[in-house]
Amino acid sequence: MESKNIVGRQIRRIRIKKKMTVHDLASALPPSAILCAGEVAEIELRTRKVYDFELLGISKVLGVSIESL
């Protein structure tokens, strides 16, 4: 299967390190980057594309820079 993004593994690694569930991450996203837990899981599994505004929201919730993802 073809990967849809290059950041999914890093997002998952950081989320787990911060002891967050996929649901925790999805629930904490700002209104500009609303994703359900299933969509976050798809991004982490690299089966879904991630848009720049979603990536910005994810990076803010995880407390990391976009570049580190």
Side-chain angles (χ1 to χ4, degrees):
M1 181 188 295
E2 179 185 341
S3 293
K4 303 281 184 179
N5 69 63
I6 60 172
V7 297
R9 288 184 183 147
Q10 186 72 346
I11 291 170
R12 183 175 192 275
R13 186 186 68 74
I14 295 168
R15 175 184 58 76
I16 290 170
K17 185 177 179 181
K18 293 186 176 281
K19 300 185 184 330
M20 295 177 76
T21 66
V22 173
H23 186 267
D24 293 337
L25 176 55
S27 297
L29 288 171
S32 61
I34 294 178
L35 296 167
C36 70
E39 291 169 317
V40 173
E42 288 174 348
I43 291 169
E44 290 185 354
L45 293 170
R46 299 175 9 164
T47 59
R48 179 189 184 280
K49 292 180 181 180
V50 60
Y51 295 98
D52 55 354
F53 61 92
E54 295 169 336
L55 193 57
L56 179 61
I58 291 169
S59 70
K60 285 182 179 181
V61 170
L62 294 176
V64 299
S65 68
I66 290 178
E67 294 80 15
S68 69
L69 299 176

